Amino acid sequence: MTITDQPTTTSTSVIGQRLLRKEDPALLTGEARFTDDLQLPGALHLIVARSPYAHARITRIDTTAAAAAPGVVAVYTGADLTDLWAAPMPCAWPVTDDMKSPAHYPIAVDKANYVGDAVACILATTNAEGRDAVELIDVEYEPLEAVVGLEDALSDRIIIHEDLGTNASYTWPLVVEEQEGAVDRAFADAAFTVKERYVQQRLIPMAMEPRAVAAVPQPFGGDITLYTATQVPHILKVMTAITLGIPEHQLRVIAPAVGGGFGSKLNVYAEELLCTALSRKHHVPVRWTEERSENSMATVHGRGQIQDIELAADAEGKLIGLRVKLLADMGAYLQLVTPGVPLLGAFLYAGVYHLPKAFSFSCTSVFTNLTPTDAYRGAGRPEATYAIERAMNRLAAAVGVDPREIRRRNYIPTEAYPYEAYTGLTYDSGDHIKAADIAADLADYDGIRAKQKDQNVEGSTKRIGIGMCSYFEMCGLAPSRVLASLNYSAGGWEAATVRVLPTSKIQVVTGTTPHGQGHETSWSMIAAEKLGVAVEDVDVLHSDTAISPLGLDTYGSRSLPVGGVAVAMACDKVIDKAKLIAAHQLEASAEDLEFSGGSFTVAGSPDKTLPLAAIAFEAFTAHDLPDGMEPNLEAHVTYDPPNFSWPFGTHMCVVEVDTETGSVDVLKYVAVDDCGVQINPLIVEGQVHGGVIQGLAQALFEGAVYDADGNLQTATLADYLVPAASDVPSITLGHSVTPSPTNQLGVKGVGEAGTIGAAPTVINAIVDALSGLGVTDVKMPASPINVWTAIAEATASSGGDVGGAASAPDTSTSATSGEDDQ
Amino acid sequence: MIPAKFDYVRAGSAEEAIRLIGEHGDEAKFLAGGHSLLPLMKLRLAQPSVLIDIGRIRDLSYIEDKGDYVAIGALTRHHDVEHSDVLAEHAPLLAHATKHVGDPQVRHRGTIGGSLAHADPASDLPATTLALGATYVAAGPNGTREIAAGDFYESFMTSALAPDELLTEIRVPKMNGAKWNFQKFNRRALDWAIVGVAAWRNGDSAGIGLVNMAGTPVLATAAADAIASGASPADAAEHAADESDPQADLNASVEYRVHLAKVLTRRALEAAV
Ligand SMILES: Cc1cc2nc3c(=O)[nH]c(=O)nc-3n(C[C@H](O)[C@H](O)[C@H](O)COP(=O)(O)OP(=O)(O)OC[C@H]3O[C@@H](n4cnc5c(N)ncnc54)[C@H](O)[C@@H]3O)c2cc1C
């Protein structure tokens, strides 16, 4: 079922169509060129030697044997290359003025700080020879005790970066109180309180294409082209120029076809800097391709937080206060936006609920001897949503109402939009009850509740549960001034150029960098809609800083609400200019011209008409343009959004838990997402499908596991369980359409919504199924052993199957956490 | 993901394979479907200097009714075992268990002989053939010999095969209408079992093989004896792990594995009616 309000955009012929993606034939036939596909005669292969220790002093490196091996051109240690770096590797988000950040260079010099940290590198004529030779580099280590746990890190028992004097990188507080003491008062006055601790396990992004880099110097003049599997060629160009101290205008960055990123390619990596610097040094192309297990260790991880959340609610269960304390895992170093990720969530801890100004948040971030963390699909927002949505179920239990009801009581009412939240951010739109009702219908919420009464009885080993989550996505990163207030080092604008070629074909140049999202299709549809041309007549150019010099790339569900809107605005500018030419040609006043279906017509004289194609050719010949007008028909726009965009929705999930084995069967998954106007519903659905599976994977399958010495136990796809199609349910989609009022397309963004909603939905369902056994929490991932252990612990402490409570949902358990304050 | 350097030779017959391995000695390995060996080589956990490819020895790919037993050539692909009419009739437990091996790609490349010779206790077919009381035939420079499945698995990934012996045939006794069931417990469809159970019963005889419950596949004799002498599935299953010596790993603790073995054995015995 789909409920569609009339979008507010102009009469749509192209927008809203389910067009197949333009980019897919090349991808599906293998014709698309990824970085590793590039043919680069004479290229040297970079191989990186990596530390097998999580924490070790490098006492000696003997490169003689490796240097003498067949095919080896050079072997370098960290010390050999210090001259190449003008600055350490960049962190663009110093969240506090006193944030501690260790100097981080592409190759470690005297200490390795995680398994996978680069300790030396080889240039070889073939990859195979290089891989053989790298084993001959003899590194002598003095192993040190590794810091693996977050609380252990915080204790400073062992300090990883001695010069910093502590493992704590920063503490970032955000307290919003109507009057001082408002939070404490809320908790003192509360009829119900909930206090929970949740653990966000580390995740490995596992893009289908691991990273790959190729740096190609031009024969003369010092220019370099850097091909890399990145989400951020524009940002990378700036950062590479700064880090290597090379003139930015001599650097061109190209992201060829890129096989997924999920945030892991939103970074500046050692290998990108090494290839660029070494290709300049050796005057030949230098390339590197990551192996899968290397990707598990040397590409950033996501999540990694311990969350303490406390809710205070009045007698009806309405939120009156919220406390959040995070302990976040930075890993061994700060990568590009590492410290900012947990803070992005700070704004979403009250979810879609009305919270008075009684909010206290604090995040302390610590270094560990593990792979650095950074943005991963949702970046801070799935974590926040998980905490509030799990805690809301505990509140429902404490109050004694159904999880749907507790949410209904707390949702920000539709009439309140635009709604200024406790944080000062304005949420543009929302209709949470509607989204929840659509989801409940699709999931047969009441039917499942009735079925539970029959099925979840004493002795039953197959218990069903239903879980839900309502969320905001917070997309469209970001108004530049908001980023400034968060100490982020860049803006959040996006650029677009729209060019009508002499033969009236359209070129759209965008600063976004698609790597699976389908921008070529969606941007073509926007231009086609605006300019009245066929989608096939539009070409979208991107991901090459020489062709698209201005841009801030793709992450944070920003591309459509920022970059796509910029394309629409540039089309408007093209139309404005074309109108002046048309007025000149038709000897009419511009005000009297109407533009539709790709032609200008003089109002009231339907025969006086001029198609855009004719105007484009006029603009090209420039034989007869209005006085003073520049030739050619193109326009450029840089758009800085006035606000984030606020997609919202509700997910529901029905599970059956085998209580004997702990295995979880997802019987039904419903996702109702309101991302505003949908340019191409097919692409929206694809994004939601992928996002839900990724969130469900966090809930059920994935987790980077380390042993006590900091060795990654899940470096291969046999151990890191990315689910396959056969392991996940089919997803029932519903949607509502509440156009964003902040942009002309009414669009909001959808890339991360699925991920944000899925993990709490699934875990809430599992806990619901097991509530009759006294289970109130299950550790993620809810693997069979974790579920089985949760059941065993709950039954041990409650003395067996609680007969009476067995048939009721989550609401029947008493929230021990709330009792002392009642 | 790039193996260490190795040489490659292809054998056209069993005799040639045995001659070649004699020539190349200890550092040589047979390559059948490659779906266990090549991943180890790519991780450089195995570094044979010569691969002797036996994958194209057509004469060793067959499934034949031999009266009391079914003879399966060692190079028979999992896919062919899975879809064999002879096995469907006479050893359906083996055909069915084979369906659970990896995914279609794995089953089109991997061979039954490779799976058994690899002697991975987490693999499905060693425990299944063990439960069925199969006999394996090995050929070496001094001729052929038969090895009972029960004598074949010596320790973790170590079989009774001499380095220069080739596994040529698997002989599976006909099940003669026995009731059977196969339980595979894993987290993703293509994964190895966390615990697996292959069970059959026929009047007063029964066999139960356990996957991933020790360094070798395990014959759960106590549980099989109990069910054969009339115990209920639940009571018999209590003894399922008596012969086991499981390890802990990312998916299971020792305690949980033992628990799973009992639950899955009970379910298998309940279903095998
Ligand atoms: C993704 C994936 C998933 C899998 N999932 C499962 C699963 O769920 N269950 C399961 O049971 N297995 C699974 N497997 C393993 C699969 O069944 C292998 O194919 C099988 O274990 C080995 O058979 P092979 O023919 O590929 O042997 P190879 O890899 O070629 O050889 C394995 C070893 O046996 C030796 N060898 C092979 N043939 C002979 C012979 N005739 N005589 C003597 N020595 C020989 C080789 O020298 C080598 O040491 C999986 C494999 C993969 C890649």
Side-chain angles (χ1 to χ4, degrees):
Chain A
M1 183 176 80
T2 284
I3 304 237
T4 310
D5 294 344
Q6 273 311 308
T8 54
T9 44
T10 50
S11 67
T12 57
S13 49
V14 181
I15 287 181
Q17 283 189 27
R18 306 173 63 87
L19 296 187
L20 292 177
R21 302 199 318 172
K22 285 182 160 187
E23 33 289 84
D24 286 344
L27 292 168
L28 293 174
T29 56
E31 287 299 310
R33 292 284 180 273
F34 294 81
T35 301
D36 193 49
D37 294 327
L38 299 172
Q39 302 289 315
L40 298 171
L44 295 178
H45 294 258
L46 172 78
I47 316 291
V48 179
R50 300 187 182 279
S51 171
Y53 294 101
H55 196 193
R57 241 176 272 291
I58 301 166
T59 49
R60 196 180 58 90
I61 302 184
D62 184 349
T63 59
T64 348
V72 172
V73 173
V75 187
Y76 296 112
T77 66
D80 297 335
L81 298 181
T82 45
D83 289 351
L84 296 181
W85 323 125
M89 287 177 50
C91 170
W93 205 337
V95 293
T96 60
D97 294 339
D98 61 353
M99 181 183 88
K100 297 203 165 51
S101 179
H104 180 200
Y105 290 95
I107 297 191
V109 177
D110 43 26
K111 232 179 111 189
N113 288 311
Y114 66 96
V115 173
D117 207 354
V119 293
C121 71
I122 282 187
L123 292 181
T125 45
T126 67
N127 192 19
E129 286 168 319
R131 294 274 168 194
D132 284 340
V134 81
E135 298 192 344
L136 303 173
I137 300 178
D138 184 10
V139 185
E140 224 176 70
Y141 295 96
E142 179 199 327
L144 304 170
E145 205 183 330
V147 181
V148 176
L150 297 191
E151 286 172 316
D152 190 30
L154 193 61
S155 77
D156 279 341
R157 189 175 61 87
I158 299 157
I159 291 177
I160 297 169
H161 303 287
E162 289 100 337
D163 53 325
L164 303 183
T166 172
N167 292 324
S169 176
Y170 68 85
T171 294
W172 189 87
L174 176 67
V175 177
V176 183
E177 296 190 318
E178 192 69 56
Q179 302 100 24
E180 215 182 304
V183 173
D184 288 346
R185 206 161 324 109
F187 278 84
D189 294 348
F192 300 98
T193 62
V194 166
K195 182 175 179 176
E196 295 290 320
R197 164 166 284 206
Y198 300 120
V199 177
Q200 296 285 330
Q201 79 270 36
R202 266 179 178 253
L203 299 176
I204 303 179
M206 286 290 181
M208 188 91 80
E209 180 206 16
R211 290 187 293 122
V213 183
V216 182
Q218 300 307 309
F220 296 99
D223 285 9
I224 281 214
T225 303
L226 171 60
Y227 299 89
T228 175
T230 185
Q231 298 172 230
V232 290
H234 296 91
I235 294 174
L236 183 63
K237 175 168 69 78
V238 177
M239 293 300 178
T240 304
I242 294 171
T243 311
L244 301 185
I246 57 179
E248 187 185 343
H249 65 286
Q250 291 196 312
L251 193 58
R252 172 181 183 186
V253 180
I254 299 176
V258 176
F262 313 111
S264 74
K265 293 172 182 167
L266 187 197
N267 229 305
V268 176
Y269 280 107
E271 296 81 3
E272 290 165 328
L273 300 170
L274 283 167
C275 285
T276 308
L278 292 174
S279 77
R280 278 164 57 90
K281 189 177 165 87
H282 287 261
H283 306 287
V284 288
V286 173
R287 71 189 309 167
W288 172 79
T289 299
E290 191 176 48
E291 297 192 339
R292 177 57 66 187
S293 41
E294 214 175 4
N295 177 268
S296 303
M297 298 184 289
T299 293
V300 296
H301 291 179
R303 316 280 189 263
Q305 292 182 6
I306 297 174
Q307 310 169 288
D308 287 308
I309 181 165
E310 287 180 77
L311 312 184
D314 67 14
E316 289 169 52
K318 291 189 174 163
L319 291 178
I320 56 172
L322 184 57
R323 281 196 195 112
V324 177
K325 236 180 129 180
L326 300 186
L327 185 56
D329 185 353
M330 305 283 93
Y333 305 100
L334 301 182
Q335 285 277 349
L336 190 65
V337 300
T338 305
V341 169
L343 310 189
L344 270 181
F347 304 96
L348 282 181
Y349 270 92
V352 291
Y353 309 114
H354 172 71
L355 178 73
K357 288 192 172 161
F359 175 73
S360 154
F361 172 94
S362 148
C363 173
T364 298
S365 290
V366 290
F367 295 107
T368 55
N369 286 119
L370 308 178
T371 296
T373 60
D374 207 307
Y376 174 57
R377 203 166 189 172
R381 292 159 290 156
E383 295 92 314
T385 305
Y386 182 85
I388 180 67
E389 287 301 295
R390 293 287 321 281
M392 285 305 274
N393 271 33
R394 301 298 304 137
L395 181 61
V399 177
V401 298
D402 190 89
R404 259 184 93 188
E405 174 61 18
I406 201 77
R407 286 176 174 78
R408 205 187 55 77
R409 291 184 191 179
N410 281 284
Y411 286 141
I412 297 163
T414 305
E415 322 74 81
Y417 289 100
Y419 169 89
E420 193 185 318
Y422 59 101
T423 50
L425 291 175
T426 301
Y427 302 163
D428 59 14
S429 53
D431 191 343
H432 309 293
I433 290 184
K434 179 158 134 194
D437 285 349
I438 297 172
D441 274 353
L442 292 171
D444 187 21
Y445 194 92
D446 298 332
I448 298 295
R449 285 280 180 243
K451 197 163 170 214
Q452 281 183 306
K453 292 215 166 67
D454 299 331
Q455 191 172 330
N456 295 5
V457 292
E458 189 170 351
S460 160
T461 57
K462 294 276 168 64
R463 290 174 182 257
I464 55 170
I466 185 161
M468 72 183 291
C469 158
S470 296
Y471 61 89
F472 264 132
E473 192 186 342
M474 190 175 152
C475 293
L477 258 56
S480 296
R481 286 182 180 184
V482 175
L483 291 176
S485 73
L486 294 171
N487 266 12
Y488 185 63
S489 311
W493 48 262
E494 198 44 80
T497 300
V498 171
R499 190 176 292 142
V500 188
L501 301 177
T503 57
S504 82
K505 304 296 182 199
I506 312 294
Q507 264 181 350
V508 171
V509 183
T510 177
T512 64
T513 302
H515 45 283
Q517 297 84 350
H519 296 178
E520 291 180 21
T521 304
S522 301
W523 286 203
S524 296
M525 292 171 73
I526 292 170
E529 176 79 27
K530 282 280 184 182
L531 301 175
V533 300
V535 173
E536 303 73 57
D537 287 342
V538 185
D539 192 26
V540 179
L541 307 177
H542 57 82
S543 306
D544 177 344
T545 60
I547 290 170
S548 154
L550 297 175
L552 286 170
D553 304 311
T554 289
Y555 43 87
S557 302
R558 69 187 305 273
S559 295
L560 179 58
V562 191
V565 171
V567 170
M569 293 167 74
C571 289
D572 288 340
K573 268 180 130 171
V574 163
I575 294 167
D576 289 346
K577 179 169 181 178
K579 186 183 260 186
L580 297 177
I581 301 173
H584 178 72
Q585 296 278 323
L586 292 169
E587 295 177 345
S589 144
E591 292 89 77
D592 294 339
L593 292 185
E594 284 163 2
F595 183 65
S596 90
S599 288
F600 287 96
T601 309
V602 180
S605 325
D607 50 328
K608 286 189 90 180
T609 173
L610 199 61
L612 191 64
I615 298 169
F617 204 73
E618 282 297 338
F620 167 66
T621 63
H623 291 174
D624 185 17
L625 294 178
D627 289 343
M629 179 179 277
E630 289 179 17
N632 287 319
L633 194 49
E634 79 168 16
H636 177 78
V637 162
T638 303
Y639 171 61
D640 199 345
N643 189 358
F644 291 95
S645 65
W646 299 92
F648 62 90
T650 289
H651 290 193
M652 286 190 185
C653 167
V654 182
V655 298
E656 185 172 76
V657 183
D658 178 340
T659 58
E660 283 187 298
T661 62
S663 84
V664 174
D665 194 7
V666 179
L667 302 179
K668 181 148 206 170
Y669 197 97
V670 172
V672 177
D673 190 60
D674 188 326
C675 62
V677 172
Q678 301 188 0
I679 302 297
N680 182 336
L682 203 57
I683 291 180
V684 168
E685 288 164 16
Q687 289 291 318
V688 175
H689 283 155
V692 165
I693 297 312
Q694 228 157 353
L696 183 131
Q698 175 175 15
L700 294 176
F701 293 100
E702 297 182 14
V705 180
Y706 284 91
D707 69 11
D709 297 325
N711 296 305
L712 182 62
Q713 308 289 289
T714 53
T716 73
L717 286 165
D719 295 313
Y720 188 83
L721 303 187
V722 176
S726 44
D727 308 309
V728 294
S730 83
I731 298 166
T732 308
L733 295 183
H735 65 266
S736 56
V737 175
T738 312
S740 167
T742 55
N743 66 66
Q744 60 156 288
L745 294 173
V747 296
K748 296 182 176 177
V750 73
E752 294 154 307
T755 317
I756 290 171
T761 304
V762 173
I763 301 292
N764 277 341
I766 296 170
V767 172
D768 183 56
L770 301 176
S771 62
L773 301 174
V775 171
T776 58
D777 190 21
V778 177
K779 205 163 105 179
M780 288 196 290
S783 59
I785 186 170
N786 284 346
V787 174
W788 181 75
T789 305
I791 296 170
E793 285 171 2
T795 34
S797 65
S798 74
D801 195 329
V802 192
S807 60
D810 201 29
T811 56
S812 65
T813 58
S814 66
T816 45
S817 48
E819 274 166 4
D820 38 26
D821 287 290
Q822 284 175 44
Chain B
M1 286 297 130
I2 296 179
K5 218 172 175 158
F6 60 87
D7 283 332
Y8 171 90
V9 288
R10 187 183 294 160
S13 65
E15 296 70 40
E16 192 184 359
I18 294 161
R19 182 176 55 75
L20 285 168
I21 202 134
E23 279 169 23
H24 291 286
D26 282 358
E27 292 307 303
K29 276 223 160 254
F30 292 126
L31 174 73
H35 267 47
S36 290
L37 183 54
L38 295 183
L40 290 179
M41 289 172 64
K42 287 182 172 185
L43 294 168
R44 297 198 171 195
L45 294 174
Q47 306 201 352
S49 56
V50 185
L51 285 186
I52 299 166
D53 187 353
I54 54 173
R56 304 195 190 193
I57 305 181
R58 294 255 178 263
D59 291 354
L60 288 183
S61 176
Y62 55 82
I63 299 171
E64 285 165 14
D65 186 338
K66 297 282 188 183
D68 289 347
Y69 65 90
V70 179
I72 306 170
L75 267 300
T76 309
R77 309 280 163 181
H78 299 319
H79 175 86
D80 297 328
V81 171
E82 186 186 341
H83 295 283
S84 153
D85 292 339
V86 175
L87 288 171
E89 188 177 348
H90 297 298
L93 173 56
L94 178 61
H96 180 84
T98 304
K99 268 194 201 2
H100 291 264
V101 172
D103 55 27
Q105 188 182 347
V106 172
R107 295 196 292 277
H108 275 91
R109 298 292 310 169
T111 65
I112 185 169
S115 181
L116 303 179
H118 196 57
D120 181 348
S123 286
D124 301 306
L125 307 184
T128 304
T129 51
L130 185 62
L132 288 170
T135 302
Y136 308 153
V137 181
N142 308 316
T144 63
R145 62 177 180 136
E146 291 183 16
I147 309 169
D151 298 329
F152 187 77
Y153 301 99
E154 297 188 334
S155 59
F156 183 69
M157 287 189 161
T158 308
S159 75
L161 283 179
D164 58 357
E165 271 186 314
L166 180 72
L167 185 59
T168 54
E169 187 174 281
I170 293 89
R171 295 179 180 167
V172 184
K174 286 188 175 175
M175 289 176 66
N176 299 322
K179 307 296 181 195
W180 56 272
N181 187 258
F182 184 74
Q183 297 276 326
K184 179 168 180 172
F185 189 79
N186 58 11
R187 291 176 64 189
R188 295 181 303 185
L190 68 67
D191 282 326
W192 276 265
I194 297 172
V195 176
V197 178
W200 61 268
R201 55 192 293 192
N202 203 357
D204 57 4
S205 55
I208 301 172
L210 302 181
V211 180
N212 216 2
M213 283 300 291
T216 59
V218 173
L219 205 53
T221 325
D225 289 351
I227 197 83
S229 55
S232 70
D235 288 343
E238 277 307 306
H239 297 285
D242 285 5
E243 296 81 6
S244 293
D245 180 17
Q247 300 283 310
D249 60 22
L250 290 177
N251 289 314
S253 61
V254 169
E255 186 197 5
Y256 179 60
R257 270 217 160 83
V258 167
H259 169 79
L260 281 178
K262 292 179 182 173
V263 172
L264 299 175
T265 299
R266 192 200 74 223
R267 290 182 182 179
L269 293 174
E270 282 170 353
V273 286

